[in-house]
Amino acid sequence: MANGEKKTVRVLIVDDDVSLRRVLEYNLQEEGYEVLTAGSGEEGLRLFEDGAPALVVTDLKMPGMGGFQLLREVKERFPDTVVIVITAFGAVEAAVEAMKAGAYDFITKPFNREALKLTVRKALDMQGLSRENRRLREELSEREEFRSIIGISPPMEEVFRVIDRVADTDATVLITGESGTGKELVARAIHNRSSRRAAPFVAINCAAIPRDLLESELFGHVKGAFTGAVRDKEGKFRQAEAGTLFLDEVGELPVELQSKLLRALQEKEVQPVGGAHTIKLDVRVVAATNADLEEAIAEGRFREDLFYRLSVIPVHLPPLRERKEDIPLLVRHFAAKHGGASVTFSPEILAVMAAYGWPGNVRELENTVERILIMRNADTIHPDDLPEKVRRGRSPQRECRVINLPDEGYSLEQLEREIVVEALERNNWNQSSAARFLHIPRHTLIYRMEKYSITTPERKK
């Protein structure tokens, strides 16, 4: 805790021993805290009600109102207040009873000044963590309608806003984002908030099904359509009647099927493999991809007309490295999900986790939390409990850093243009060599050159 922050923290000391009270006051003022003092439990309770201190340090044995009664009164009035009790050496049993009644910790007389300061610091850190936990739980409850989508960052607020606007329409939605960002969760949230919620939500991964089976999976087939077709089969479109069909990894859809998907979207009908007639359907389509479909269009791997039909409403999910303020919320969500609701993640471990790049995004974070819970030795989690690559604060993607971006940010398009030009210059403007240098096909390099109006020196005017 920085000194500037400590000056805003108010501490109440209650002890009938004047000399001890002054020593406590001096040591805590030296640390930058605002200190109130009282010589009795009754006076301490009055000061507490007037000043609402964040922390109370009280002796247990005092004339009149003792420390136990003061502890109960304080906790009844404001449960978040942290109380540290002072007890005589050898009276540890009384201190333990006080902790059972709600005290955070105890110190014994005579006390070590550094131990006192450390105990107070830890108590206030714990109080801050408790408040943060409560705030995050409140934020989470406000987002309960979005099921498992967790986030309070500005990029996620924008995602929630778009979901709210488009959920109860029939417009097709294209969800983009890196692997592990939660694209299917967004698709399910759109379905669950729509008037179609009582009908099926049907998902299909276009990259996970063999090409020769994908058409039948999507559109169905009739008996005898091909070898092994011993009975009629409904495709995913028909299974999703009146509901939502989620096409995951739609960028992997074979080109020969894209025209049939386009027709299904335009005409709202499908024709089963081997069938002579089309079947009218009422299905809302949501698609997702982690690929650059505009690049796929330029390379002839994806139909431009299908792209525009799918992306009536585009929704982009940011990678976890661009929404790091969501990490504490996600950590606690996954901890509860995997049986660690009572586990505490220290501020230090949350800071280390925020410094890591998370190339696997939310999926990698969940796996890491689950691993920590299985391997932990205690219910308070510290940085040493993290996998080594996370502890080092860098991901495999960032270990070989070749670009140092300015703090104020930089245009991605300008950066890409400069990279292409430098690759060409290093290879004497030989396009094939430059493409190999950039690990991309030559036609992709040519597309980038045309996009950014990059010409060879001989052609420059």
Side-chain angles (χ1 to χ4, degrees):
M1 188 181 293
N3 285 340
E5 293 175 344
K6 287 177 184 173
K7 292 177 181 176
T8 66
V9 177
R10 181 174 292 171
V11 176
L12 171 62
I13 298 170
V14 185
D15 199 308
D16 62 324
D17 184 329
V18 177
S19 60
L20 181 60
R21 193 166 68 238
R22 286 176 179 171
V23 171
L24 289 166
E25 180 181 14
Y26 172 79
N27 279 282
L28 294 182
Q29 284 180 338
E30 189 178 47
E31 285 292 285
Y33 300 109
E34 179 185 347
V35 180
L36 306 175
T37 63
S40 68
E42 293 83 358
E43 183 186 1
L45 187 58
R46 286 194 298 273
L47 287 175
F48 175 80
E49 291 173 337
D50 292 340
L55 182 141
V56 175
V57 181
T58 180
D59 194 0
L60 280 181
K61 293 200 171 187
M62 296 180 290
M65 179 186 289
F68 274 107
Q69 186 177 348
L70 178 62
L71 169 63
R72 286 192 290 269
E73 295 284 350
V74 165
K75 284 295 184 180
E76 184 178 334
R77 285 163 169 75
F78 192 55
D80 277 355
T81 301
V82 182
V83 179
I84 296 171
V85 297
I86 305 171
T87 185
F89 179 76
V92 176
E93 287 184 7
V96 171
E97 287 301 314
M99 292 177 68
K100 289 179 180 178
Y104 168 75
D105 205 346
F106 67 93
I107 54 177
T108 58
K109 305 175 189 176
F111 61 85
N112 178 286
R113 57 181 292 173
E114 294 305 320
L116 166 71
K117 294 175 182 179
L118 180 61
T119 301
V120 169
R121 271 200 302 272
K122 285 184 175 181
L124 290 170
D125 285 343
M126 185 278 295
Q127 182 187 62
L129 195 58
S130 297
R131 287 175 176 169
E132 178 69 2
N133 281 338
R134 187 171 63 253
R135 183 186 70 81
L136 292 175
R137 284 195 298 269
E138 290 169 355
E139 293 280 0
L140 181 57
S141 65
E142 291 175 5
R143 291 297 177 193
E144 188 176 357
E145 68 271 22
F146 289 103
R147 308 277 176 165
S148 298
I149 308 177
I150 309 299
I152 56 174
S153 61
M156 291 307 296
E157 289 290 342
E158 176 62 18
V159 170
F160 293 136
R161 187 188 68 79
V162 174
I163 291 174
D164 272 333
R165 293 287 296 274
V166 309
D168 211 17
T169 72
D170 285 333
T172 53
V173 178
L174 179 63
I175 307 168
T176 59
E178 297 177 7
S179 293
T181 50
K183 295 185 285 294
E184 184 169 344
L185 293 177
V186 171
R188 288 184 180 276
I190 291 171
H191 172 76
N192 290 332
R193 291 176 63 78
S194 74
S195 57
R196 298 175 178 268
R197 67 179 69 89
F201 175 90
V202 178
I204 181 171
N205 188 323
C206 299
I209 299 173
R211 297 167 71 95
D212 54 348
L213 296 179
L214 187 54
E215 182 177 5
S216 172
E217 286 294 319
L218 282 170
F219 307 114
H221 64 251
V222 299
K223 180 180 178 180
F226 50 84
T227 303
V230 296
R231 63 179 64 87
D232 290 354
K233 176 182 177 178
E234 285 188 344
K236 299 297 185 184
F237 266 93
R238 292 183 67 185
Q239 292 172 16
E241 172 65 23
T244 302
L245 176 63
F246 175 54
L247 302 175
D248 198 8
E249 301 300 345
V250 72
E252 301 302 316
L253 195 69
V255 175
E256 59 268 23
L257 282 186
Q258 292 177 21
S259 58
K260 196 163 186 177
L261 175 59
L262 178 63
R263 178 175 176 80
L265 294 174
Q266 289 177 331
E267 305 300 329
K268 299 187 182 302
E269 62 183 25
V270 297
Q271 184 172 357
V273 177
H277 305 287
T278 59
I279 301 170
K280 284 287 185 182
L281 294 172
D282 174 25
V283 176
R284 200 257 184 93
V285 172
V286 177
T289 181
N290 62 8
D292 185 341
L293 291 189
E294 293 188 31
E295 182 175 306
I297 291 169
E299 296 173 358
R301 295 183 288 106
F302 203 85
R303 292 180 62 116
E304 187 174 20
D305 48 2
L306 177 58
F307 170 73
Y308 289 118
R309 175 63 64 176
L310 289 172
S311 61
V312 174
I313 304 293
V315 178
H316 179 68
L317 278 181
L320 189 55
R321 62 182 174 274
E322 293 179 6
R323 42 178 292 218
K324 292 192 173 183
E325 55 264 65
D326 292 334
I327 288 177
L329 188 63
L330 287 162
V331 167
R332 292 176 181 96
H333 170 73
F334 292 138
K337 177 180 176 181
H338 294 289
S342 62
V343 171
T344 298
F345 285 77
S346 69
E348 292 81 9
I349 194 174
L350 294 176
V352 173
M353 295 173 92
Y356 178 60
W358 300 107
N361 291 296
V362 178
R363 186 182 295 124
E364 182 185 3
L365 177 63
E366 179 175 4
N367 292 343
T368 300
V369 171
E370 185 177 8
R371 171 183 168 176
I372 288 171
L373 294 176
I374 293 171
M375 302 299 292
R376 76 184 191 275
N377 295 314
D379 282 345
T380 299
I381 311 299
H382 298 286
D384 287 345
D385 296 306
L386 286 167
E388 183 182 356
K389 67 174 182 178
V390 181
R391 206 163 53 241
R392 292 201 313 265
R394 61 182 185 271
S395 67
Q397 292 178 335
R398 298 172 61 122
E399 287 183 356
C400 298
R401 190 165 191 168
V402 296
I403 299 172
N404 290 307
L405 296 175
D407 292 339
E408 63 273 15
Y410 201 73
S411 164
L412 178 60
E413 290 192 353
Q414 181 63 26
L415 180 63
E416 187 176 49
R417 187 183 193 282
E418 291 176 7
I419 290 171
V420 171
V421 170
E422 182 171 343
L424 287 163
E425 288 177 344
R426 286 193 183 197
N427 290 277
N428 297 316
W429 290 84
N430 182 297
Q431 293 175 357
S432 297
S433 298
R436 284 194 296 272
F437 178 81
L438 293 172
H439 302 275
I440 59 175
R442 184 172 179 272
H443 60 264
T444 300
L445 175 68
I446 294 172
Y447 166 71
R448 290 287 188 267
M449 292 176 67
E450 292 174 352
K451 178 180 178 180
Y452 298 120
S453 302
I454 301 171
T455 57
T456 60
E458 293 78 15
R459 292 172 57 190
K460 291 180 179 178
K461 304 296 182 183

